[in-house]
Amino acid sequence: MPTKGRGFYPVTDPVQNEVRRSGLTHGVAVLHLQHTSASLLIQENADPDVRVDLERFFERLVPDGDPRFTHTTEGADDMPAHVRTALTAVNLSIPFAHGRLALGVWQGIYLWEHRTRPHQRRMILHLMGE
Amino acid sequence: MPTKGRGFYPVTDPVQNEVRRSGLTHGVAVLHLQHTSASLLIQENADPDVRVDLERFFERLVPDGDPRFTHTTEGADDMPAHVRTALTAVNLSIPFAHGRLALGVWQGIYLWEHRTRPHQRRMILHLMGE
Amino acid sequence: MPTKGRGFYPVTDPVQNEVRRSGLTHGVAVLHLQHTSASLLIQENADPDVRVDLERFFERLVPDGDPRFTHTTEGADDMPAHVRTALTAVNLSIPFAHGRLALGVWQGIYLWEHRTRPHQRRMILHLMGE
């Protein structure tokens, strides 16, 4: 999937649709993002300020252009993107029941792009169950 | 399950009991917490000072009442609880064998409540195996 | 597996070999590290500077010998190792297809030792699939 640069991209609906399409009713959806500079995150899906504040917090915690980083091949946001990914996750395992992901009412699944420029990202979904 | 506010609540025993009750001997226990302001954490189950120090570290890293946060609807600990959750995890996949969770001797599973006030938290357990 | 102290130890190949040996073609590899002071991390497998910078970042974020830690039984790196583990992960779920782990081209799986002295670490691998 394409991203337009740093930020949160909702993926709950496509994952839920795949679960429905599979015909499985009870099991686990395993999501794996094939990258080291973007994450998968479960976070609040209501107030968008939560995502704004998350972004700001991580920008302070892992500043772009920090002179102490040596891996800067692709620019000031290169190494910070790797650190943010290490601090979060690239795979998730979410149970589903009666054909629906067992997410809480406030939980959404997001692809969190850490690079400032647009990227093409690839997420693998493996469903197990019956 | 109810929490009495910020802190660690052991959940290893209830999870282990469910594995036993299921009659499955080999497989994976998938735990999913349906919230965005509390985490699931595997940490040392011996010296309680580890959990005291973890709590202190996270209170310094993500200070309550930080004026840079804008999502403060539910108080000074609202946004810090979301950040702490993003920095840790809400789902875990733990193998079991011979009916026992394959945890290390020092590993315990905890629900980590990040909100200061008591909350009711819901954890989904899905068992796969034979 | 033995570690020679703090640093990254690649485990992609042994995990891939177990998948191949199992004869399973499609499924999920669940990895669980039985410790609370070392992590499992998926990170870039190309430029080693990424791992050097990750190590440096975490050494600044969670300084060894921080006087605010009380759990110092095993030395200045004891509690920092627990915090680093809490900030990362001890279990991963990685899909595989056609007998190959569905990792991105730049993704490698690492055991990240957080203690400064050599340790013996135990990782459980559970394969599910067909």
Side-chain angles (χ1 to χ4, degrees):
Chain A
M1 57 176 293
T3 72
K4 286 177 272 179
R6 192 169 278 181
F8 294 86
Y9 300 84
V11 296
T12 314
D13 289 354
V15 173
Q16 176 60 64
N17 290 341
E18 286 297 318
V19 171
R20 199 164 288 144
R21 216 157 17 193
S22 73
L24 299 172
T25 57
H26 289 75
V28 171
V30 177
L31 285 68
H32 179 75
L33 191 66
Q34 293 189 311
H35 304 276
T36 61
S37 55
S39 310
L40 291 178
L41 190 77
I42 293 175
Q43 259 299 333
E44 182 175 312
N45 55 15
D47 184 355
D49 278 353
V50 171
R51 299 192 296 277
V52 171
D53 283 348
L54 269 174
E55 189 55 61
R56 276 189 202 146
F57 179 86
F58 275 76
E59 282 177 359
R60 292 196 309 267
L61 186 65
V62 198
D64 286 343
D66 188 324
R68 287 169 295 193
F69 288 137
T70 59
H71 174 86
T72 54
T73 334
E74 296 185 22
D77 62 323
D78 184 351
M79 193 58 218
H82 291 296
V83 174
R84 285 154 162 255
T85 305
L87 287 169
T88 50
V90 294
N91 61 47
L92 300 174
S93 296
I94 304 172
F96 57 90
H98 308 290
R100 287 194 61 79
L101 292 169
L103 293 169
V105 279
W106 306 112
Q107 288 186 320
I109 315 171
Y110 296 90
L111 187 162
W112 191 357
E113 175 63 74
H114 299 305
R115 302 300 309 275
T116 53
R117 269 181 287 190
H119 277 74
Q120 192 65 34
R121 301 303 193 177
R122 200 173 147 80
M123 183 176 79
I124 302 293
L125 174 63
H126 186 93
L127 301 176
M128 291 182 291
E130 51 200 30
Chain B
M1 57 178 291
T3 72
K4 287 177 273 180
R6 192 168 279 181
F8 294 87
Y9 300 85
V11 295
T12 314
D13 289 353
V15 173
Q16 176 60 65
N17 290 342
E18 286 298 318
V19 172
R20 200 163 287 143
R21 220 164 5 202
S22 72
L24 299 171
T25 58
H26 290 74
V28 171
V30 176
L31 283 69
H32 180 76
L33 191 66
Q34 293 188 312
H35 304 276
T36 62
S37 56
S39 309
L40 291 177
L41 189 77
I42 293 175
Q43 259 298 334
E44 182 175 311
N45 55 16
D47 184 355
D49 278 355
V50 171
R51 299 192 295 278
V52 171
D53 283 349
L54 270 174
E55 188 56 61
R56 277 190 201 145
F57 179 86
F58 275 76
E59 282 177 1
R60 293 197 306 269
L61 186 65
V62 197
D64 287 343
D66 189 324
R68 287 169 294 194
F69 289 137
T70 58
H71 173 84
T72 53
T73 335
E74 296 185 23
D77 62 323
D78 184 351
M79 194 57 218
H82 291 297
V83 174
R84 285 154 163 254
T85 304
L87 287 168
T88 51
V90 294
N91 61 47
L92 299 175
S93 295
I94 305 172
F96 56 90
H98 309 291
R100 288 194 60 78
L101 293 168
L103 294 170
V105 279
W106 307 111
Q107 287 186 320
I109 314 170
Y110 295 91
L111 187 163
W112 191 357
E113 174 63 74
H114 298 306
R115 302 299 310 273
T116 53
R117 270 181 286 190
H119 277 72
Q120 193 64 34
R121 300 303 192 177
R122 202 173 146 80
M123 183 177 79
I124 301 293
L125 174 63
H126 186 93
L127 301 176
M128 292 183 290
E130 50 201 30
Chain C
M1 57 176 293
T3 72
K4 287 178 271 180
R6 193 169 277 180
F8 294 87
Y9 300 85
V11 295
T12 313
D13 288 353
V15 173
Q16 177 59 67
N17 290 341
E18 286 297 317
V19 171
R20 200 163 288 143
R21 225 172 352 209
S22 73
L24 298 171
T25 57
H26 289 74
V28 171
V30 177
L31 283 69
H32 179 75
L33 190 66
Q34 294 188 311
H35 303 277
T36 61
S37 55
S39 309
L40 290 178
L41 190 78
I42 293 174
Q43 259 299 334
E44 182 174 314
N45 55 16
D47 184 354
D49 278 353
V50 171
R51 300 193 295 278
V52 170
D53 283 349
L54 270 174
E55 188 54 62
R56 277 190 200 144
F57 179 86
F58 276 75
E59 282 176 2
R60 291 196 308 267
L61 186 64
V62 198
D64 287 341
D66 189 324
R68 288 170 293 195
F69 289 137
T70 58
H71 173 85
T72 54
T73 334
E74 296 185 21
D77 63 321
D78 184 353
M79 193 59 217
H82 291 296
V83 174
R84 285 155 162 253
T85 305
L87 286 168
T88 50
V90 294
N91 62 47
L92 299 174
S93 295
I94 305 172
F96 56 90
H98 308 291
R100 288 194 61 78
L101 293 169
L103 294 169
V105 279
W106 306 111
Q107 287 186 320
I109 315 171
Y110 295 91
L111 187 163
W112 191 356
E113 174 63 74
H114 298 305
R115 302 301 310 274
T116 53
R117 271 181 286 190
H119 277 73
Q120 192 65 34
R121 301 302 193 178
R122 200 173 147 81
M123 183 177 80
I124 301 294
L125 173 63
H126 186 94
L127 301 176
M128 290 182 291
E130 50 201 31

